[in-house]
Amino acid sequence: MLLQDSFYQNLTEEELKNVHEYNFDHPGKDIVLTENDAFNTDQLLNDMEKLRHGQAVDIPNYDLKSYKNDVFSPRRVNPSDVIILEGILIFHDPRVRELMNMKIFVDTDADVRLARRIRRDTGEKGRDINAVLDQYSTFVKPAFDDFILPTKKYADIIIPRGGDNHVAIDLIVQHICTKLGQHDLCKIYPNLYVIQSTFQIRGMHTLIRDSLTTKHDFVFYADRLIRLVVEHGLGHLPFTEKHVITPTGSVYTGVDFCKRLCGVSVIRSGESMENALRACCKGIKLGKILIHREGDNGQQLIYEKLPQDISERHVLLLDPILGTGNSAVQAISLLISKGVPESNIIFLNLISAPQGVHVVCKKFPRLKIVTSEIEIGLNDDFRVIPGMGEFGDRYFGTDDDDDQPMVVTLTSAEK
């Protein structure tokens, strides 16, 4: 935790002689640091940047009685997953605001603020109560009206009643805990969703990644994982509120599913996800796209068969592996060329390489990606690692038949 008060400027000898006339609540006229600014914002920015890059910093330990920041030894602050920056004027400088992922304005009654200041200044600083009230009316209250209250508009969250608002505080804590539990890529791309990992999910991933797993077990556990991804993806579709009458005669307020929906599988691995989608969405329309891969960048669209009214539907794009992202980009671009709004596309896959996530999310920021795990990356052959091998071959049982001749049996009618 960093306090803006730690970055108060040292007062000069002249300022110390007239300390009661010094405005400690003035942020300065300009962004560039001047001798009249109350805070050394440049040092605050420098220390924040070091903490964000994993470096420990020594924060000044400002003495409220001597008005100096070199009386006591500095306080060592180590880098952390969460950095809390506190201060009444912390939203004033746009450079500081840009560093923040969440901006919170704690709104407290004016009488409470005054009572706290009197208690602090008379108790901790040993000041006379008349001097405290004089400073409050001369500097503190005007500064609040001129510099602090206007920055309220920059806040993402406004908490009334301060620390007594336990509901608001609990919600903020839950939000931060959720963010900490997310993969780093989810913090960069808000359109990337990784389903919450459990021991069951990790166990199924262990089985389908094991090169010794039989085809029967691979298909069984892959289908279970695919079903979870499909269910999670369906949760991102729009819905409408619906009231129904239960057998007891009571009214239940629920939701109605999105009706205009279709699935599109990228042949051939994507076809492994069709059964799970059919099981979740009875009678759903399905389309297919075939993209021929030649190396990393050679992508050629060979075949596409899509519902005629696909532009009016939400589309679940199915492909279990997101590798380089090149095939995904071509498939998504085809859907968009057919009139499908980018925001109506949800891309479902089992595993995703970071490289592919970067490519797809940057090019299509309004599309959603739902996956069950983020991989380490790609090897020199552009294969996902640790990965699970050629998914289509393992799922459809063709991994051992690549070198076998194809045998075609013709019936008498075909002859």
Side-chain angles (χ1 to χ4, degrees):
M1 181 171 181
L2 271 66
L3 305 179
Q4 189 181 26
D5 286 1
S6 299
F7 297 90
Y8 269 122
Q9 300 269 37
N10 277 334
L11 297 190
T12 64
E13 293 299 325
E14 185 66 27
E15 289 168 336
L16 285 172
K17 293 178 181 178
N18 304 288
V19 67
H20 296 298
E21 298 178 6
Y22 185 81
N23 190 353
F24 289 92
D25 299 292
H26 197 293
K29 297 179 181 179
D30 304 310
I31 293 178
V32 180
L33 183 66
T34 69
E35 292 183 357
N36 294 324
D37 293 344
F39 301 99
N40 188 341
T41 305
D42 282 351
Q43 184 180 354
L44 184 151
L45 290 167
N46 184 60
D47 289 344
M48 282 290 293
E49 198 63 31
K50 288 181 178 178
L51 286 172
R52 292 179 65 196
H53 288 84
Q55 303 176 35
V57 294
D58 292 321
I59 302 299
N61 201 345
Y62 189 79
D63 181 22
L64 296 174
K65 293 184 177 180
S66 66
Y67 308 103
K68 298 283 187 179
N69 58 24
D70 51 8
V71 175
F72 304 110
S73 300
R75 178 172 63 94
R76 171 57 62 100
V77 175
N78 294 310
S80 177
D81 292 331
V82 179
I83 302 173
I84 300 176
L85 183 57
E86 184 273 338
I88 59 175
L89 290 164
I90 210 67
F91 293 162
H92 184 267
D93 194 316
R95 298 173 301 171
V96 180
R97 293 199 303 269
E98 289 175 3
L99 296 175
M100 301 176 184
N101 300 108
M102 182 191 298
K103 297 181 285 293
I104 302 171
F105 189 98
V106 181
D107 203 358
T108 307
D109 185 79
D111 292 339
V112 175
R113 297 198 305 267
L114 176 58
R116 289 175 178 173
R117 175 172 285 269
I118 292 174
R119 185 167 59 249
R120 184 198 66 180
D121 287 5
T122 56
E124 297 179 16
K125 301 182 181 180
R127 294 178 183 171
D128 178 71
I129 188 172
N130 291 323
V132 174
L133 293 173
D134 182 62
Q135 184 188 40
Y136 180 82
S137 59
T138 305
F139 297 118
V140 179
K141 183 63 169 61
F144 177 83
D145 295 333
D146 294 339
F147 305 115
I148 300 171
L149 188 59
T151 64
K152 188 176 181 178
K153 63 185 177 184
Y154 299 119
D156 301 309
I157 300 172
I158 298 172
I159 303 180
R161 305 190 310 279
D164 295 329
N165 194 332
H166 300 292
V167 173
I169 293 172
D170 286 343
L171 288 173
I172 292 170
V173 171
Q174 290 175 22
H175 177 76
I176 293 174
C177 289
T178 300
K179 287 293 184 182
L180 290 177
Q182 290 180 338
H183 191 279
D184 288 343
L185 284 175
C186 294
K187 301 171 186 176
I188 300 173
Y189 302 113
N191 56 330
L192 172 65
Y193 301 89
V194 182
I195 62 176
Q196 185 175 359
S197 181
T198 64
F199 287 123
Q200 276 287 311
I201 291 175
R202 292 286 289 174
M204 288 186 284
H205 266 284
T206 303
L207 286 164
I208 66 175
R209 293 169 185 272
D210 189 344
S211 60
L212 301 178
T213 297
T214 64
K215 174 185 178 297
H216 179 270
D217 286 345
F218 180 87
V219 172
F220 179 79
Y221 291 107
D223 282 344
R224 284 186 62 187
L225 279 171
I226 291 169
R227 179 66 178 264
L228 292 174
V229 171
V230 169
E231 292 280 14
H232 194 96
L234 291 173
H236 291 280
L237 292 170
F239 61 87
T240 55
E241 189 176 281
K242 184 176 182 179
H243 302 281
V244 297
I245 305 298
T246 71
T248 64
S250 304
V251 177
Y252 177 80
T253 302
V255 297
D256 196 13
F257 296 118
C258 173
K259 295 293 192 299
R260 308 292 292 174
L261 179 65
C262 73
V264 175
S265 60
V266 178
I267 302 174
R268 124 182 107 138
S269 296
E271 293 174 308
S272 65
M273 306 177 74
E274 292 179 357
N275 286 336
L277 184 57
R278 287 193 185 99
C280 297
C281 305
K282 183 175 63 176
I284 187 172
K285 287 189 175 183
L286 292 173
K288 295 181 185 291
I289 298 174
L290 174 60
I291 298 172
H292 177 60
R293 299 175 176 86
E294 293 180 355
D296 173 37
N297 296 314
Q299 312 293 323
Q300 182 181 359
L301 177 65
I302 301 297
Y303 171 82
E304 55 92 358
K305 182 65 175 178
L306 304 172
Q308 292 184 351
D309 60 349
I310 192 171
S311 62
E312 302 171 8
R313 296 177 178 269
H314 286 264
V315 179
L316 297 176
L317 182 62
L318 312 174
D319 195 353
I321 311 294
L322 173 57
T324 62
N326 295 324
S327 294
V329 167
Q330 185 154 1
I332 296 165
S333 298
L334 173 64
L335 294 175
I336 293 175
S337 71
K338 297 293 183 180
V340 181
E342 182 183 320
S343 58
N344 282 9
I345 303 173
I346 301 177
F347 184 26
L348 306 180
N349 51 75
L350 283 183
I351 59 174
S352 302
Q355 293 89 332
V357 171
H358 285 300
V359 169
V360 175
C361 287
K362 285 181 179 178
K363 189 170 182 63
F364 306 106
R366 292 184 295 279
L367 163 146
K368 293 183 176 70
I369 297 179
V370 178
T371 187
S372 64
E373 279 198 348
I374 303 293
E375 299 294 270
I376 294 175
L378 302 174
N379 62 16
D380 293 338
D381 297 323
F382 303 105
R383 290 177 176 268
V384 177
I385 53 173
M388 57 182 72
E390 289 293 340
F391 187 90
D393 286 338
R394 295 188 69 187
Y395 190 92
F396 295 110
T398 56
D399 51 343
D400 295 326
D401 299 328
D402 293 340
D403 299 327
Q404 299 298 320
M406 179 179 292
V407 179
V408 179
T409 302
L410 301 178
T411 65
S412 57
E414 290 169 327
K415 292 178 181 178

